[in-house]
Amino acid sequence: MRLRFRFRTIPFLATLVLVALGIALGNWQVRRAAEKTALQARLTQRSAMPPLALDGKPVDPAAIEYRHVIVTGEFVPNWPLFLDNRPHEGRTGFVLLMPFKIAGSDAVVLIARGWLSRDPAVHDRVPHVATPPGRTTVEGRAVLHPARVMELGKAPPPAPGAIVQNVDPAGFAQASGLRVLPVLVEQTSPDGTELIRTWPAPAIDVDRHKGYAFQWYALAAMAFLFFVITGFRSGTKQAG
């Protein structure tokens, strides 16, 4: 019995779509794995660098992201912000953000001071947290912005004492009128308060992206093989 291949247009077009989709998504996952590998290398490199002192001069945010930084100055007490929907170990709560005026400069930097729990009885009540008075020194890790959460619609500009979903240095600068450095500092140094400062590390899972890439490439290969095998089967049946 001689095998014959029967070309069918509609199955061919469907196979073409699946193969193209599988290859495109596989390539995307490979790029994501490369990005995460580069991020891991950057984290390792910058965590080993000596602390960087922020003195109010302009900084390149991409160049100092994830670096250990030190800044001296005073908190601006009338501009606290409370980042909402920030759970910690199964409890709901906020991350407290406050601007910090850098000594010898007119610039401020946003400090993520730490996590605090929410009052379960009153949803929109914000807790009182003592602010260190006078000049103080804060140590922490520089990031571009706090971890973002899903937000529906366009949020109003932040206001002093507001509960907000997301905020970044540029948006805060526009709302406050202050000159804000384009980075945020996740505080790690103690200050006598009960704020929790367990900051999540950037999500790095290179193997997961490689696994997804393999699955998409496998889908493309299976679609092609299915088209070829069923084409020969159809040809055989037709010949018989």
Side-chain angles (χ1 to χ4, degrees), residues 44-231:
T44 301
Q45 178 191 31
R46 293 184 178 177
S47 63
M49 297 175 71
L52 174 69
L54 299 179
D55 56 8
K57 296 178 182 178
V59 295
D60 179 0
I64 68 171
E65 185 182 17
Y66 305 126
R67 279 199 64 175
H68 180 205
V69 296
I70 298 177
V71 58
T72 297
E74 299 182 16
F75 282 103
V76 181
N78 61 341
W79 250 108
L81 291 175
F82 296 86
L83 288 179
D84 201 4
N85 293 323
R86 290 337 196 252
H88 176 73
E89 296 182 349
R91 296 183 294 163
T92 60
F94 306 100
V95 168
L96 173 61
L97 292 184
M98 291 185 69
F100 188 84
K101 188 176 184 302
I102 301 174
S105 168
D106 65 344
V108 303
V109 63
L110 275 176
I111 305 288
R113 293 186 56 196
W115 182 90
L116 60 162
S117 61
R118 177 197 294 275
D119 184 343
V122 184
H123 181 271
D124 58 353
R125 176 183 294 172
V126 295
H128 173 74
V129 180
T131 301
R135 178 172 292 199
T136 186
T137 297
V138 172
E139 298 183 32
R141 181 179 65 174
V143 296
L144 301 184
H145 51 71
R148 298 188 183 278
V149 298
M150 187 172 61
E151 189 170 10
L152 300 177
K154 185 176 181 180
I163 298 175
V164 297
Q165 300 294 323
N166 298 292
V167 71
D168 56 45
F172 179 78
Q174 185 176 9
S176 65
L178 300 171
R179 185 169 78 85
V180 184
L181 294 187
V183 292
L184 179 139
V185 177
E186 294 177 336
Q187 182 176 348
T188 56
S189 55
D191 60 6
T193 66
E194 296 182 356
L195 291 166
I196 296 174
R197 299 188 175 95
T198 307
W199 303 110
I204 300 175
D205 192 349
V206 176
D207 290 338
R208 177 169 60 91
H209 291 291
K210 289 181 178 179
Y212 287 157
F214 175 80
Q215 291 176 12
W216 286 117
Y217 289 144
L219 172 66
M222 290 173 60
F224 175 75
L225 290 175
F226 181 79
F227 171 73
V228 172
I229 293 172
T230 55

